[in-house]
Amino acid sequence: MTLQQTIAEYLKYTGQKGLDISAALIDCDGVLYDSMKYHTQAWVKLMKKNGIKCTRDEFYELEGMTGSEIIKMKFKTGAGKNITDDEAKALYGVKTRYFHELGEAPVMPGAKRVLEALKDHNIERVLVTGSQQDSLLERIEKDFPGLFGEAKVTGHDVRKGKPNPEPFLKGMNKAEKKANQCLVIENAPLGVQAAHAAGCFTIGVTTGPIPEKDLYKAGADLVYKNMDELAAALPSLLVALSMIKA
Ligand code: CA
């Protein structure tokens, strides 16, 4: 499919008359940081300690849900236990400790280039993540100085994690943008689903084990192999995405 056809498809299924991208809603884990391998390892350790069978791959599939949603679901299906909010919070604290014990997750190669390309084209950058991991959120200003504005959505702001569109709808709201003014950068199927449901132009990046076809199936408009490939494509992509005014 050509880029023109991709854009035509987007306009058709959203019912939008035009596209006028002026903000990018950007996911954190697996997009800005190569942190998913640590998260999945920490999740498996938490589950095994509680006698719940699981594989790391499952947690790549669940990426985007809030920590407490994952805990409640896995304890219910894996051990028949109903977990209260307080218990979920405590268990998430344990998972966070395991995550930290694995060391600092590296910055994703190409992430800075993507943010700089967006800034060069006057596209506002808004962080939208289900993460409640404050240490990672605090690192962002240090690792990407001046590349994010005040507007951001974290796991502390949302009631429903991805695939619910709430995180992206909140991001749009905070940036005072409409769906056809926002593109989303996501690596996880549930994140892509959420962005698609919010009506944003959705870009997937396959930075983990999830194949390209799964991101398209979840509703991605475009999928790139990694953040470097996206950074290289952005200048011409942003021109194309700003040419269809309503
Ligand atoms: Ca992610």
Side-chain angles (χ1 to χ4, degrees):
M1 214 189 279
T2 65
L3 185 52
Q4 272 62 39
Q5 286 169 323
T6 299
I7 293 169
E9 279 291 307
Y10 167 85
L11 295 175
K12 198 171 145 194
Y13 74 71
T14 55
Q16 296 284 1
K17 299 268 183 293
L19 253 179
D20 189 10
I21 300 296
S22 56
L25 311 182
I26 303 161
D27 176 48
C28 179
D29 290 294
V31 169
L32 298 179
Y33 292 98
D34 194 5
S35 46
M36 279 312 296
K37 52 193 173 192
Y38 299 161
H39 281 299
T40 55
Q41 210 172 315
W43 276 123
V44 168
K45 187 170 175 183
L46 179 74
M47 295 303 155
K48 294 236 159 109
K49 293 253 182 197
N50 286 277
I52 296 167
K53 278 192 193 149
C54 62
T55 64
R56 278 178 80 174
D57 281 351
E58 282 177 53
F59 294 98
Y60 282 105
E61 297 289 342
L62 299 178
E63 186 191 347
M65 290 170 67
T66 66
S68 95
E69 283 172 336
I70 291 176
I71 288 164
K72 285 180 180 177
M73 191 193 76
K74 287 301 295 173
F75 275 69
K76 180 77 187 163
T77 58
K81 278 189 200 158
N82 288 311
I83 297 293
T84 65
D85 287 341
D86 285 345
E87 286 168 332
K89 206 171 164 190
L91 287 163
Y92 188 64
V94 177
K95 184 258 169 179
T96 302
R97 182 158 56 79
Y98 294 157
F99 175 76
H100 288 313
E101 283 168 4
L102 294 168
E104 206 167 68
V107 169
M108 183 66 79
K112 210 168 172 189
R113 280 181 66 201
V114 167
L115 293 173
E116 281 165 352
L118 291 167
K119 191 178 183 181
D120 284 349
H121 288 80
N122 292 318
I123 307 292
E124 190 178 342
R125 287 83 49 207
V126 181
L127 182 76
V128 177
T129 174
S131 179
Q132 295 171 313
Q133 223 98 75
D134 291 323
S135 63
L136 199 63
L137 300 173
E138 280 161 18
R139 277 184 65 192
I140 287 178
E141 194 42 45
K142 181 171 70 76
D143 292 331
F144 305 102
L147 291 170
F148 280 99
E150 285 298 301
K152 70 174 179 212
V153 176
T154 73
H156 299 297
D157 300 309
V158 297
R159 213 164 46 81
K160 290 180 174 156
K162 302 161 188 176
N164 192 289
E166 186 188 336
F168 292 111
L169 295 173
K170 283 230 159 112
M172 279 158 51
N173 238 330
K174 285 197 177 181
E176 298 179 351
K177 304 285 181 192
K178 296 184 186 124
N180 68 338
Q181 295 177 303
C182 296
L183 62 81
V184 168
I185 305 173
E186 257 292 347
N187 69 306
L190 296 183
V192 166
Q193 268 187 49
H196 180 79
C200 302
F201 189 88
T202 306
I203 296 172
V205 281
T206 50
T207 59
I210 306 269
E212 179 188 87
K213 68 171 171 45
D214 288 15
L215 296 187
Y216 276 120
K217 214 163 90 188
D221 294 289
L222 285 173
V223 179
Y224 292 92
K225 281 193 181 65
N226 52 52
M227 291 293 274
D228 272 313
E229 196 185 272
L230 171 60
L234 265 179
S236 58
L237 179 61
L238 290 171
V239 170
L241 292 180
S242 64
M243 300 233 299
I244 308 122
K245 309 273 185 210

mmCIF file of all heavy atoms in Angstrom, residues 8-36:
data_model
loop_
_atom_site.group_PDB
_atom_site.id
_atom_site.type_symbol
_atom_site.label_atom_id
_atom_site.label_comp_id
_atom_site.label_asym_id
_atom_site.label_seq_id
_atom_site.Cartn_x
_atom_site.Cartn_y
_atom_site.Cartn_z
ATOM 1 N N ALA A 8 -5.658 7.517 2.943
ATOM 2 C CA ALA A 8 -7.046 7.437 2.473
ATOM 3 C C ALA A 8 -7.846 6.439 3.312
ATOM 4 O O ALA A 8 -8.991 6.704 3.690
ATOM 5 C CB ALA A 8 -7.080 7.054 0.997
ATOM 6 N N GLU A 9 -7.216 5.304 3.638
ATOM 7 C CA GLU A 9 -7.853 4.295 4.495
ATOM 8 C C GLU A 9 -8.170 4.884 5.873
ATOM 9 O O GLU A 9 -9.256 4.684 6.405
ATOM 10 C CB GLU A 9 -6.907 3.093 4.697
ATOM 11 C CG GLU A 9 -6.908 2.100 3.563
ATOM 12 C CD GLU A 9 -8.229 1.344 3.485
ATOM 13 O OE1 GLU A 9 -8.634 0.790 4.525
ATOM 14 O OE2 GLU A 9 -8.850 1.337 2.410
ATOM 15 N N TYR A 10 -7.186 5.573 6.449
ATOM 16 C CA TYR A 10 -7.375 6.195 7.775
ATOM 17 C C TYR A 10 -8.584 7.141 7.746
ATOM 18 O O TYR A 10 -9.438 7.107 8.636
ATOM 19 C CB TYR A 10 -6.103 6.947 8.209
ATOM 20 C CG TYR A 10 -6.337 7.862 9.389
ATOM 21 C CD1 TYR A 10 -6.273 7.386 10.696
ATOM 22 C CD2 TYR A 10 -6.677 9.210 9.204
ATOM 23 C CE1 TYR A 10 -6.525 8.216 11.779
ATOM 24 C CE2 TYR A 10 -6.939 10.043 10.280
ATOM 25 C CZ TYR A 10 -6.865 9.551 11.566
ATOM 26 O OH TYR A 10 -7.138 10.373 12.632
ATOM 27 N N LEU A 11 -8.646 7.987 6.711
ATOM 28 C CA LEU A 11 -9.744 8.960 6.623
ATOM 29 C C LEU A 11 -11.083 8.230 6.477
ATOM 30 O O LEU A 11 -12.080 8.641 7.061
ATOM 31 C CB LEU A 11 -9.525 9.904 5.432
ATOM 32 C CG LEU A 11 -8.297 10.816 5.541
ATOM 33 C CD1 LEU A 11 -8.103 11.618 4.260
ATOM 34 C CD2 LEU A 11 -8.405 11.765 6.748
ATOM 35 N N LYS A 12 -11.052 7.124 5.744
ATOM 36 C CA LYS A 12 -12.288 6.369 5.513
ATOM 37 C C LYS A 12 -12.811 5.759 6.817
ATOM 38 O O LYS A 12 -13.971 5.939 7.176
ATOM 39 C CB LYS A 12 -12.004 5.286 4.468
ATOM 40 C CG LYS A 12 -13.237 4.715 3.810
ATOM 41 C CD LYS A 12 -12.835 3.825 2.648
ATOM 42 C CE LYS A 12 -13.800 2.657 2.535
ATOM 43 N NZ LYS A 12 -13.277 1.613 1.649
ATOM 44 N N TYR A 13 -11.936 5.038 7.552
ATOM 45 C CA TYR A 13 -12.469 4.339 8.723
ATOM 46 C C TYR A 13 -12.729 5.257 9.915
ATOM 47 O O TYR A 13 -13.525 4.935 10.789
ATOM 48 C CB TYR A 13 -11.633 3.099 9.105
ATOM 49 C CG TYR A 13 -10.296 3.350 9.771
ATOM 50 C CD1 TYR A 13 -10.217 3.825 11.078
ATOM 51 C CD2 TYR A 13 -9.114 3.077 9.107
ATOM 52 C CE1 TYR A 13 -9.001 4.050 11.687
ATOM 53 C CE2 TYR A 13 -7.889 3.294 9.709
ATOM 54 C CZ TYR A 13 -7.847 3.784 11.002
ATOM 55 O OH TYR A 13 -6.643 4.015 11.603
ATOM 56 N N THR A 14 -12.044 6.415 9.947
ATOM 57 C CA THR A 14 -12.310 7.341 11.057
ATOM 58 C C THR A 14 -13.443 8.312 10.716
ATOM 59 O O THR A 14 -13.988 8.956 11.613
ATOM 60 C CB THR A 14 -11.068 8.196 11.403
ATOM 61 O OG1 THR A 14 -10.640 8.870 10.212
ATOM 62 C CG2 THR A 14 -9.945 7.350 11.973
ATOM 63 N N GLY A 15 -13.735 8.452 9.407
ATOM 64 C CA GLY A 15 -14.743 9.425 8.995
ATOM 65 C C GLY A 15 -14.223 10.858 9.060
ATOM 66 O O GLY A 15 -14.993 11.809 8.969
ATOM 67 N N GLN A 16 -12.906 10.994 9.237
ATOM 68 C CA GLN A 16 -12.310 12.343 9.284
ATOM 69 C C GLN A 16 -12.248 12.919 7.868
ATOM 70 O O GLN A 16 -12.077 12.185 6.903
ATOM 71 C CB GLN A 16 -10.881 12.273 9.849
ATOM 72 C CG GLN A 16 -10.790 11.806 11.285
ATOM 73 C CD GLN A 16 -11.187 12.869 12.297
ATOM 74 O OE1 GLN A 16 -11.557 13.993 11.946
ATOM 75 N NE2 GLN A 16 -11.138 12.489 13.564
ATOM 76 N N LYS A 17 -12.369 14.263 7.789
ATOM 77 C CA LYS A 17 -12.292 14.919 6.486
ATOM 78 C C LYS A 17 -10.842 15.256 6.126
ATOM 79 O O LYS A 17 -10.523 15.462 4.960
ATOM 80 C CB LYS A 17 -13.127 16.204 6.489
ATOM 81 C CG LYS A 17 -14.604 15.954 6.751
ATOM 82 C CD LYS A 17 -15.367 15.778 5.439
ATOM 83 C CE LYS A 17 -16.852 15.601 5.680
ATOM 84 N NZ LYS A 17 -17.159 14.325 6.361
ATOM 85 N N GLY A 18 -10.009 15.353 7.140
ATOM 86 C CA GLY A 18 -8.614 15.711 6.870
ATOM 87 C C GLY A 18 -7.708 15.275 8.001
ATOM 88 O O GLY A 18 -8.158 14.749 9.018
ATOM 89 N N LEU A 19 -6.413 15.463 7.779
ATOM 90 C CA LEU A 19 -5.387 15.146 8.775
ATOM 91 C C LEU A 19 -4.523 16.393 8.917
ATOM 92 O O LEU A 19 -4.118 16.971 7.913
ATOM 93 C CB LEU A 19 -4.499 14.026 8.246
ATOM 94 C CG LEU A 19 -4.583 12.617 8.801
ATOM 95 C CD1 LEU A 19 -3.595 11.739 8.060
ATOM 96 C CD2 LEU A 19 -4.330 12.559 10.285
ATOM 97 N N ASP A 20 -4.269 16.794 10.140
ATOM 98 C CA ASP A 20 -3.439 17.984 10.338
ATOM 99 C C ASP A 20 -2.599 17.749 11.591
ATOM 100 O O ASP A 20 -2.849 18.328 12.640
ATOM 101 C CB ASP A 20 -4.345 19.209 10.478
ATOM 102 C CG ASP A 20 -3.531 20.493 10.473
ATOM 103 O OD1 ASP A 20 -2.323 20.446 10.179
ATOM 104 O OD2 ASP A 20 -4.110 21.555 10.794
ATOM 105 N N ILE A 21 -1.600 16.848 11.459
ATOM 106 C CA ILE A 21 -0.846 16.384 12.620
ATOM 107 C C ILE A 21 -0.018 17.514 13.252
ATOM 108 O O ILE A 21 0.805 18.139 12.585
ATOM 109 C CB ILE A 21 0.096 15.222 12.215
ATOM 110 C CG1 ILE A 21 -0.698 14.031 11.654
ATOM 111 C CG2 ILE A 21 0.969 14.792 13.392
ATOM 112 C CD1 ILE A 21 -1.638 13.358 12.616
ATOM 113 N N SER A 22 -0.294 17.757 14.552
ATOM 114 C CA SER A 22 0.507 18.751 15.271
ATOM 115 C C SER A 22 0.968 18.247 16.633
ATOM 116 O O SER A 22 1.617 18.976 17.374
ATOM 117 C CB SER A 22 -0.278 20.063 15.413
ATOM 118 O OG SER A 22 -1.505 19.814 16.051
ATOM 119 N N ALA A 23 0.631 16.999 16.960
ATOM 120 C CA ALA A 23 1.118 16.412 18.227
ATOM 121 C C ALA A 23 1.398 14.928 18.032
ATOM 122 O O ALA A 23 0.755 14.262 17.228
ATOM 123 C CB ALA A 23 0.076 16.599 19.338
ATOM 124 N N ALA A 24 2.374 14.445 18.782
ATOM 125 C CA ALA A 24 2.697 13.016 18.783
ATOM 126 C C ALA A 24 2.511 12.502 20.206
ATOM 127 O O ALA A 24 3.073 13.056 21.153
ATOM 128 C CB ALA A 24 4.132 12.784 18.322
ATOM 129 N N LEU A 25 1.688 11.472 20.365
ATOM 130 C CA LEU A 25 1.471 10.841 21.661
ATOM 131 C C LEU A 25 2.395 9.628 21.701
ATOM 132 O O LEU A 25 2.267 8.718 20.883
ATOM 133 C CB LEU A 25 0.008 10.426 21.826
ATOM 134 C CG LEU A 25 -1.042 11.496 21.486
ATOM 135 C CD1 LEU A 25 -2.452 10.963 21.739
ATOM 136 C CD2 LEU A 25 -0.811 12.774 22.295
ATOM 137 N N ILE A 26 3.350 9.655 22.635
ATOM 138 C CA ILE A 26 4.463 8.708 22.571
ATOM 139 C C ILE A 26 4.492 7.798 23.800
ATOM 140 O O ILE A 26 4.531 8.267 24.942
ATOM 141 C CB ILE A 26 5.792 9.486 22.444
ATOM 142 C CG1 ILE A 26 5.729 10.380 21.201
ATOM 143 C CG2 ILE A 26 6.988 8.538 22.356
ATOM 144 C CD1 ILE A 26 6.733 11.508 21.212
ATOM 145 N N ASP A 27 4.490 6.519 23.542
ATOM 146 C CA ASP A 27 4.570 5.503 24.584
ATOM 147 C C ASP A 27 6.002 5.474 25.154
ATOM 148 O O ASP A 27 6.931 5.991 24.524
ATOM 149 C CB ASP A 27 4.183 4.164 23.937
ATOM 150 C CG ASP A 27 4.316 3.006 24.890
ATOM 151 O OD1 ASP A 27 3.817 3.112 26.024
ATOM 152 O OD2 ASP A 27 4.922 1.990 24.493
ATOM 153 N N CYS A 28 6.154 4.868 26.315
ATOM 154 C CA CYS A 28 7.465 4.888 26.982
ATOM 155 C C CYS A 28 8.221 3.554 26.849
ATOM 156 O O CYS A 28 9.198 3.454 26.102
ATOM 157 C CB CYS A 28 7.252 5.248 28.457
ATOM 158 S SG CYS A 28 8.769 5.290 29.420
ATOM 159 N N ASP A 29 7.736 2.511 27.545
ATOM 160 C CA ASP A 29 8.451 1.223 27.523
ATOM 161 C C ASP A 29 8.392 0.596 26.131
ATOM 162 O O ASP A 29 7.319 0.488 25.541
ATOM 163 C CB ASP A 29 7.825 0.266 28.543
ATOM 164 C CG ASP A 29 8.106 0.700 29.968
ATOM 165 O OD1 ASP A 29 9.286 0.669 30.363
ATOM 166 O OD2 ASP A 29 7.159 1.088 30.678
ATOM 167 N N GLY A 30 9.530 0.201 25.610
ATOM 168 C CA GLY A 30 9.576 -0.412 24.280
ATOM 169 C C GLY A 30 9.607 0.599 23.151
ATOM 170 O O GLY A 30 9.699 0.226 21.985
ATOM 171 N N VAL A 31 9.513 1.901 23.494
ATOM 172 C CA VAL A 31 9.586 2.970 22.492
ATOM 173 C C VAL A 31 10.742 3.911 22.846
ATOM 174 O O VAL A 31 11.652 4.111 22.050
ATOM 175 C CB VAL A 31 8.245 3.738 22.383
ATOM 176 C CG1 VAL A 31 8.396 5.005 21.558
ATOM 177 C CG2 VAL A 31 7.175 2.835 21.752
ATOM 178 N N LEU A 32 10.708 4.483 24.055
ATOM 179 C CA LEU A 32 11.791 5.371 24.503
ATOM 180 C C LEU A 32 12.894 4.591 25.202
ATOM 181 O O LEU A 32 14.061 4.988 25.167
ATOM 182 C CB LEU A 32 11.241 6.427 25.468
ATOM 183 C CG LEU A 32 10.200 7.388 24.916
ATOM 184 C CD1 LEU A 32 9.751 8.338 26.013
ATOM 185 C CD2 LEU A 32 10.749 8.177 23.729
ATOM 186 N N TYR A 33 12.506 3.515 25.856
ATOM 187 C CA TYR A 33 13.477 2.684 26.584
ATOM 188 C C TYR A 33 13.360 1.228 26.152
ATOM 189 O O TYR A 33 12.256 0.729 25.925
ATOM 190 C CB TYR A 33 13.253 2.776 28.104
ATOM 191 C CG TYR A 33 13.585 4.140 28.642
ATOM 192 C CD1 TYR A 33 12.586 5.075 28.864
ATOM 193 C CD2 TYR A 33 14.910 4.503 28.866
ATOM 194 C CE1 TYR A 33 12.900 6.356 29.320
ATOM 195 C CE2 TYR A 33 15.234 5.774 29.319
ATOM 196 C CZ TYR A 33 14.226 6.702 29.543
ATOM 197 O OH TYR A 33 14.538 7.950 29.987
ATOM 198 N N ASP A 34 14.502 0.574 26.085
ATOM 199 C CA ASP A 34 14.532 -0.854 25.767
ATOM 200 C C ASP A 34 14.356 -1.622 27.081
ATOM 201 O O ASP A 34 15.247 -2.311 27.554
ATOM 202 C CB ASP A 34 15.876 -1.186 25.092
ATOM 203 C CG ASP A 34 15.851 -2.549 24.438
ATOM 204 O OD1 ASP A 34 14.777 -3.180 24.431
ATOM 205 O OD2 ASP A 34 16.908 -2.985 23.947
ATOM 206 N N SER A 35 13.182 -1.461 27.659
ATOM 207 C CA SER A 35 12.933 -1.913 29.033
ATOM 208 C C SER A 35 12.037 -3.143 29.125
ATOM 209 O O SER A 35 11.894 -3.721 30.206
ATOM 210 C CB SER A 35 12.271 -0.772 29.814
ATOM 211 O OG SER A 35 11.225 -0.196 29.049
ATOM 212 N N MET A 36 11.437 -3.543 27.993
ATOM 213 C CA MET A 36 10.453 -4.636 28.085
ATOM 214 C C MET A 36 11.059 -5.969 28.515
ATOM 215 O O MET A 36 10.417 -6.763 29.180
ATOM 216 C CB MET A 36 9.685 -4.780 26.764
ATOM 217 C CG MET A 36 8.553 -3.777 26.610
ATOM 218 S SD MET A 36 7.495 -3.662 28.088
ATOM 219 C CE MET A 36 6.784 -5.305 28.144
#
